[in-house]
Amino acid sequence: MKRYGGLILLLAGAALALIGLLQGQYDSVLAKAVRICLECVGIG
Amino acid sequence: MAAAALLQNANFKGFFTGRISENAAKGVCVPGLNCYSCPGAVGACPLGSLQSFLGTRPFRFPYYVMGLLLFFGALLGRAVCGFLCPMGLIQELAALVPVKKRNRFRLDQPLRKLKFLILAATLVLPLIVARTPFFCKYICPSGTTAALFLSAADKTVRGLLGSLFTLKFAILTVLIVLSLFIWRPFCKYLCPLGAFYGLMNRVALYRGHVDENACVHCGACASVCRMGVDPVKEINGTECIRCGDCARKCPADAIRIGFAGIRKKEPEAQGGEVRTS
């Protein structure tokens, strides 16, 4: 199992990312990432 | 590692203008802890993005970010920490100051568990309190570094920094000072991303192998490891960041670190066994 676990998780990760892409989640990440995150920089 | 940090922060103009990148690449998460509010950042922080999704109402499962995290983790495990994370670089730069390092002390092992608690809190708290990225807001030193760059270039940002920034700046300062005496304290004790990749180390394709027949049990690998790992016992445990110090130090050439299946020596050809966990 250990031998293939990494490969299975790698493919599962790629599949999840693809599902997210199809759901438009790339746009959500982009929308958050192009604005200064006030919490992250310690403003609010 | 410096090259990786530069590549992930290649929006050099931003360091002077205080404006963050708005390129399409910002929608892709980088593997390491690199705040997307850093004026140099060209990608998105995976932890910030994840918490943003978890704190959104109505809730949407973060397929895209979780998928990328699983992908990076299954491919590289904590090699991300060892080679790709800018926070690792900052700590290693601080560690260049010639002060005697102490990597084994009584609280070291109990403190290592803290990062798993922080990982749990990072995942659970945004589900309870909407729009509150707990880790980014109260701990993340990458965000604090971003704030320093932003405030240096933009006096409006400088004027907005308050008590929350003071808390985060104190955490960053403590971590940098600790880095003079302890190797990578943030990676060892606090980083939830390191905790996640550490859990993936056991199955990651980029992994360590100890040839038990070749190993002479001299302890050289454990004594050289700055993360406090005994490679003979736990080369694919949660703490190894794949720096390769142990493999270089091994007098018997018994340690290999690389992608599974890509080995210079086939164990069968040597008549030996290979330990992979």
Side-chain angles (χ1 to χ4, degrees), chain A residues 1-21 23-44, chain B residues 20-24 26-27 35-37 44 49 52-53 60-65 67-68 70-71 74-75 131 133 136-137 143-144 147 150 160-161 164-165 168 200 203 205 277:
Chain A
M1 178 60 199
K2 258 183 196 170
R3 187 168 175 177
Y4 297 106
L7 199 57
I8 291 166
L9 285 175
L10 186 85
L11 295 174
L16 282 178
L18 188 64
I19 292 169
L21 277 176
Q23 290 193 351
Q25 294 190 355
Y26 161 87
D27 295 323
S28 305
V29 171
L30 181 64
K32 173 79 179 165
V34 296
R35 294 189 191 93
I36 291 176
C37 165
L38 298 181
E39 294 93 344
C40 304
V41 299
I43 290 176
Chain B
I20 65 172
S21 167
E22 294 180 0
N23 287 334
K26 264 297 192 62
C35 184
Y36 40 31
S37 292
S49 304
S52 171
F53 264 102
R60 281 198 301 160
F61 186 83
Y63 290 103
Y64 175 60
V65 183
L68 287 177
L70 263 183
F71 184 86
L75 186 66
R131 292 186 183 83
C136 298
K137 188 169 180 176
T144 315
L150 280 173
L160 290 170
L161 300 178
L164 189 58
F165 174 77
K168 291 190 66 180
M200 299 292 285
V203 292
L205 299 181
S277 61

Side-chain angles (χ1 to χ4, degrees), chain B:
Chain B
M1 199 180 332
L6 278 176
L7 273 176
Q8 290 171 79
N9 292 283
N11 180 41
F12 303 124
K13 191 175 67 179
F15 288 110
F16 301 100
T17 61
R19 291 181 61 87
I20 65 172
S21 167
E22 294 180 0
N23 287 334
K26 264 297 192 62
V28 181
C29 296
V30 294
L33 196 68
N34 195 122
C35 184
Y36 40 31
S37 292
C38 177
V42 294
C45 170
L47 268 188
S49 304
L50 183 64
Q51 289 180 100
S52 171
F53 264 102
L54 295 174
T56 302
R57 304 291 183 271
F59 176 74
R60 281 198 301 160
F61 186 83
Y63 290 103
Y64 175 60
V65 183
M66 273 311 297
L68 287 177
L69 278 171
L70 263 183
F71 184 86
F72 294 139
L75 186 66
L76 298 169
R78 280 199 90 175
V80 171
C81 311
F83 296 102
L84 301 177
C85 184
M87 274 315 298
L89 176 68
I90 290 173
Q91 293 169 93
E92 289 203 9
L93 288 175
L96 289 176
V97 177
V99 179
K100 188 172 166 53
K101 309 284 185 285
R102 196 170 169 202
N103 283 320
R104 289 169 206 273
F105 53 96
R106 218 173 85 183
L107 281 177
D108 175 55
Q109 288 305 318
L111 281 174
R112 304 257 181 158
K113 295 183 176 73
L114 190 55
K115 62 179 175 290
F116 295 102
L117 281 177
I118 293 174
L119 173 64
T122 301
L123 296 176
V124 172
L125 289 182
L127 295 172
I128 301 166
V129 186
R131 292 186 183 83
T132 305
F134 159 76
F135 176 74
C136 298
K137 188 169 180 176
Y138 297 108
I139 298 176
C140 183
S142 180
T144 315
T145 313
L148 291 174
F149 284 122
L150 280 173
S151 59
D154 187 337
K155 66 178 179 185
T156 313
V157 174
R158 203 156 51 235
L160 290 170
L161 300 178
S163 55
L164 189 58
F165 174 77
T166 307
L167 166 75
K168 291 190 66 180
F169 185 70
I171 291 172
L172 175 66
T173 308
V174 168
L175 283 171
I176 289 177
V177 172
L178 275 178
S179 298
L180 305 181
F181 305 99
I182 301 167
W183 182 252
R184 286 180 175 243
F186 177 68
C187 307
K188 282 178 179 170
Y189 310 126
L190 297 181
C191 183
L193 199 54
F196 174 79
Y197 288 140
L199 294 172
M200 299 292 285
N201 253 2
R202 294 200 184 281
V203 292
L205 299 181
Y206 193 80
R207 54 197 299 105
H209 311 271
V210 178
D211 184 336
E212 285 191 339
N213 279 20
C215 178
V216 292
H217 299 281
C218 62
C221 52
S223 68
V224 80
C225 181
R226 291 173 290 186
M227 287 297 285
V229 175
D230 182 350
V232 174
K233 290 180 186 159
E234 45 178 358
I235 193 159
N236 291 313
T238 57
E239 302 301 321
C240 175
I241 60 167
R242 310 300 187 209
C243 67
D245 284 349
C246 55
R248 285 186 287 275
K249 185 78 175 177
C250 178
D253 201 19
I255 300 175
R256 300 262 175 244
I257 295 173
F259 283 103
I262 306 172
R263 299 171 196 167
K264 282 183 188 169
K265 293 178 186 175
E266 286 302 323
E268 289 80 9
Q270 298 170 53
E273 278 181 28
V274 170
R275 175 184 285 195
T276 57
S277 61

